[in-house]
Amino acid sequence: MQYEEKFFEQGLLYIAGADECGRGCLAGPVAAAAVILPPGCVIEGVADSKKLSGAKRESLLPRILEKALAVRVAMVDADEIDKINILQASLKAMGAALLELPLRPEISLIDGRFLPDIHINMESVTGGDGKSLCIAAASIVAKVMRDRLMCEYAKTYPEYGFDRHKGYPTVSHYAAILAHGPCPIHRRSFRLY
């Protein structure tokens, strides 16, 4: 918690981490989570969600929810992504997650170089999901919730295999789009073929 500690030492208590997932997908929403953890919090195994297996992320989610002071998830769907572009959709989702927290953060640590256009104190942390516990926790929460949603979409659109690739570009996903055309949750502004 090196990033969090400097703020705890200044007397701040509500430090939020925010991260998104699903930016590189061909289908489904972009998801973001915001998480506030208490000072001195330790959650063994929390790391950048991209470096963890799906089973590990699922096992960490209840531990994060148990220890967190506040957690929120927000998503921006494929239609909105197509209208405003994926970067703006990612920032919109992170901003919404932060604003919906039941505790107002005194400072928010945002993974990446860009900040949402909202009126709260924020600091960008490039590679933050590997440097900040609250950002890493947010990355896990966002990834688990989005993956669960994509598994639900797989029941509606079984021919695309969303339960396997979660909407990311894979050979089988491209083959399914070629065979069946895009479905309603595909991002039309992305190259689908």
Side-chain angles (χ1 to χ4, degrees), residues 49 71 83 96:
S49 66
V71 177
K83 288 176 190 164

Side-chain angles (χ1 to χ4, degrees), residues 22-27 146 162 165-175 177 186-187 190-193:
R23 278 184 65 166
C25 293
L26 304 177
R146 187 184 184 282
F162 292 135
H165 54 65
K166 310 303 187 284
Y168 284 90
T170 63
V171 172
S172 66
H173 192 181
Y174 280 122
I177 296 169
H186 277 102
R187 302 172 184 178
F190 282 49
R191 185 173 176 169
L192 300 177
Y193 299 96

Side-chain angles (χ1 to χ4, degrees), residues 78-95:
D79 288 340
E80 185 76 1
I81 291 168
D82 289 338
K83 288 176 190 164
I84 65 174
N85 80 44
I86 188 60
L87 173 60
Q88 294 307 313
S90 299
L91 294 173
K92 183 176 181 177
M94 282 194 284

